[in-house]
Amino acid sequence: MLYGLGTNSRTQTIAAVEVAVGAGAKDSGCRDGPAGFRQQAEAELRARGVTLTWRHMPQSLRDAGASPLDVVASTARWTARVTRNFVTKDNRFLVVGGDHSCAVGTWSGAADALRPSGALGLIWIDAHMDMHVPETSHSGAINGMPVAALLGYGAPQLTSVAHRGAAIDPRHLCLIGARSFEPEEAAFGQRHGVRVIDMPEVQRRGVKAVLAEAHAIAASGTAGYGVSLDLDAFDPVEAPGVGTPAPDGIRAADFLAPWSELIKDPACVGIEIVEYNPALDRDGRTARLMQDLVMAWV
Ligand SMILES: [Mn+2]
């Protein structure tokens, strides 16, 4: 099915939000993700008819000697204000991370804006499940916890960013591409009834079919949905510039067309592309993939 008609205009503007956070990861290098993306891909996007207008994260939010949790939580509060504003005004947004802890702010704000009209659905495309709570995490890294936080579990600073309690109802959440996770996360997902389409299932059924299922989960009975894309969902051959690569991932050639259909649905309120670590990229491969992912939106 066709979700939306393309536009005939020659140039398109996308509202981009820079969430330059790295405190949620063991390697803080994806703090440089938005700057690296701009440097590697922005000129080429402009040449292809797409202009990004940026909301920059205030300098004061970057580390400043506070604990990682403090940095992540204050970043989340800022991000939530920005995305809440976009969704309230019916403007779709692109968040560029940053480590995946940025998702706590992105979707807390979007859910808060939609709350008067209904729930927010969420599609989470990632090699990992990100469903740890501080008690189960082996590494303590906050970028392994955002899904749990959005479901209302974890550090109080992360579960009440825009609103007290869960931002996302597990019935409207779907994870895709999981292949590297701890048993505690799988148990958490089962306990809460989260639909997890793991990588073997993606390979068996194909990307198009699993994105269609995820769309049904996130779009049915909700006021809109978002898509959070962790670049480590892709095979490291195609997206080496990530902090936590996992082999045997999704291939861009299978992904781009159904991704385009998924995010062009007017019910899609915004998207998020995270975990780009420019220092680990090879020949600009990951940045080029990000460019294609953004081009698929127009
Ligand atoms: Mn992730």
Side-chain angles (χ1 to χ4, degrees), residues 20-292:
V21 64
K26 269 181 287 182
D27 175 346
S28 65
C30 46
R31 185 173 49 182
D32 302 323
F37 170 67
R38 296 191 66 177
Q39 201 179 3
Q40 298 281 322
E42 202 167 21
E44 177 65 19
L45 281 171
R46 203 172 302 120
R48 291 165 79 178
V50 173
T51 304
L52 304 180
T53 56
W54 287 91
R55 286 292 308 267
H56 293 284
M57 191 171 107
Q59 193 65 38
S60 57
L61 286 176
R62 303 182 191 208
D63 15 63
S67 77
L69 181 58
D70 289 338
V71 174
V72 168
S74 43
T75 300
R77 286 191 294 274
W78 176 80
T79 308
R81 279 198 300 276
V82 174
T83 58
R84 186 205 282 122
N85 225 345
F86 279 126
V87 174
T88 301
K89 292 178 177 153
D90 229 353
N91 290 332
R92 59 184 195 168
F93 61 81
L94 162 70
V95 163
V96 179
D99 73 65
H100 217 162
S101 71
C102 71
V104 177
T106 304
W107 307 114
S108 292
D112 200 43
L114 284 187
R115 192 162 279 113
S117 36
L120 173 73
L122 185 59
I123 298 169
W124 192 276
I125 305 169
D126 196 327
H128 310 94
M129 290 186 175
D130 294 357
M131 288 200 283
H132 272 300
V133 291
E135 294 74 32
T136 64
S137 172
H138 301 202
S139 67
I142 303 167
N143 66 348
M145 308 181 188
V147 171
L150 288 164
L151 293 173
Y153 296 86
Q157 295 102 302
L158 302 184
T159 57
S160 54
V161 170
H163 179 87
R164 199 163 288 281
I168 303 291
D169 182 316
R171 285 175 304 166
H172 305 308
L173 169 67
C174 184
L175 272 56
I176 292 177
R179 58 191 183 277
S180 171
F181 49 85
E182 270 88 47
E184 295 91 334
E185 293 176 283
F188 180 97
Q190 277 195 329
R191 202 156 59 240
H192 295 282
V194 177
R195 173 72 172 114
V196 178
I197 303 176
D198 64 14
M199 198 58 209
E201 185 174 348
V202 175
Q203 257 140 8
R204 208 163 54 241
R205 295 174 55 205
V207 176
K208 191 177 164 67
V210 300
L211 285 187
E213 182 186 341
H215 178 267
I217 291 169
S220 308
T222 60
Y225 65 89
V227 188
S228 187
L229 175 60
D230 190 323
L231 290 163
D232 64 33
F234 292 99
D235 196 279
V237 171
E238 296 183 337
V242 298
T244 321
D248 302 321
I250 294 171
R251 293 293 178 151
D254 304 327
F255 186 79
L256 286 167
W259 158 257
S260 176
E261 213 175 310
L262 176 72
I263 61 180
K264 279 181 174 170
D265 181 343
C268 178
V269 300
I271 64 173
E272 176 178 64
I273 302 177
V274 304
E275 293 279 342
Y276 174 47
N277 185 334
L280 301 175
D281 204 3
R282 284 202 289 275
D283 336 306
R285 254 181 263 177
T286 315
R288 268 199 306 283
L289 174 57
M290 292 172 82
Q291 195 179 295
D292 291 341

